[in-house]
Amino acid sequence: MRGTERRARLLEALGLGEIDVDDLAHRFGVSASTVRRDLQHLSGTKAVRRTYGGAILAGATPETTLDQRLAINGPEKLAIARAALALIADGETLILDAGSTVTAFGRLLLDRRLRIITNNLALLPCLAQAPGIDLVVLGGNLRATSMSTVGPLAIEALQRMTADRAVMSADGVVAGRGLCEASLDQVALKSAMIAQSRETVVLANAGKLGRAEQMAWAPLPRRWILVTDAAVPQDQRHGLAEAGADLVVAGA
């Protein structure tokens, strides 16, 4: 494989979330030093940004861990989670996505009577102890950054179930485009969650609205519910409403 072709394929691999030099070397059948030279070349063209042990696309924002996200905007996330509780009735079946705000929401359900389908591994210790929760866990590949499962096993299991509501998270929410995430595995599963649910509820603080810093997208249905905080700008409210969102503003 010529260097130009290999570097083009390296960019494709980085777009899919592959960042480790050794993994890339194995994939392309070359030495790690060859991959490092290619990445250095791409870094010189501003196409990628070097990281410890690999690289990411220059336009991509490094993904934070779940613990880091739980520590950010805690009061806003809890207010959003509490506002979303009013949308849920006992006896319903919910799909709970991964993510820090959905985790905060799930922790408020311990005294409810619900069936919950989830890939959110961070919720399992508390939901497993809730007497009124019938818990279904989606298997698949582990995403350690979000403490969740993704991949074809999770999607195949989900396609055998339906739910009243999917409660979703995202790195960004953009009117007319949908939910923005770091990897195609994430958005493939999110799309399946939305497809298997009667109603979609997105939990996102105002800082995520209009944010498009990652490369993968999950479209939203024609009508959906957005639960956010009072800092949402007026122009975002208008654009989201035009894109089918029914807004629930925490504390309003």
Side-chain angles (χ1 to χ4, degrees), residues 29-49:
V30 297
S31 67
S33 60
T34 297
V35 172
R36 290 190 186 94
R37 285 196 298 271
D38 285 342
L39 293 176
Q40 191 63 40
H41 175 87
L42 292 169
S43 177
T45 66
K46 309 298 184 184
V48 305
R49 185 166 67 247

Side-chain angles (χ1 to χ4, degrees), residues 76-99:
E76 290 89 347
K77 291 177 181 179
L78 184 56
I80 290 168
R82 286 175 172 158
L85 283 179
L87 304 174
I88 307 303
D90 278 353
E92 290 187 340
T93 296
L94 307 181
I95 296 174
L96 299 189
D97 193 9

